[in-house]
Amino acid sequence: MTFWCCRAGQKGANDLWIRAEDNQKRFEDWGVSKQITPVSEDANNLSFEKGKFDALFSVDSYHYFAAGAGFFEDKILPFLRDDAAVLIGIPGTKK
């Protein structure tokens, strides 16, 4: 899941493989449904407002959809403000 956050307190959580309604229920169970809007969109065609977000937090998801050269610049960066923070956590493997 990838979380998008902006200074106004709005947060979006995008997950292609989990329906927004299912994540809405999960957020209700966690007591955060008024703070996070669930979204289920392909990362190649996001409908967020350009330049809206101050932070991107992606854990165990980015490597599934961002394998192509230029993906971050073309598909993610347009939605971030110039001074946005980005944290991308990709799981490692251990021998």
Side-chain angles (χ1 to χ4, degrees):
M1 183 176 305
T2 300
F3 292 93
W4 299 79
C5 306
C6 70
R7 289 183 190 127
Q10 300 165 317
K11 296 166 198 73
N14 188 53
D15 194 320
L16 176 62
W17 297 299
I18 299 176
R19 294 178 333 124
E21 297 82 7
D22 294 340
N23 272 332
Q24 179 65 33
K25 173 70 170 107
R26 180 176 292 116
F27 297 156
E28 288 169 2
D29 292 346
W30 295 346
V32 297
S33 63
K34 292 186 170 133
Q35 299 151 329
I36 304 173
T37 301
V39 177
S40 183
E41 296 181 345
D42 185 321
N44 286 289
N45 297 302
L46 295 169
S47 62
F48 296 126
E49 178 184 333
K50 305 281 188 198
K52 177 177 182 171
F53 295 101
D54 298 298
L56 169 85
F57 177 70
S58 180
V59 175
D60 193 20
S61 62
Y62 189 81
H63 56 287
Y64 290 110
F65 56 77
F71 181 86
F72 186 84
E73 293 84 357
D74 296 338
K75 303 295 184 175
I76 301 296
L77 201 56
F79 299 105
L80 299 173
R81 293 180 189 216
D82 290 340
D83 61 347
V86 175
L87 173 67
I88 298 171
I90 299 172
T93 58
K94 185 177 179 181
K95 287 186 175 183

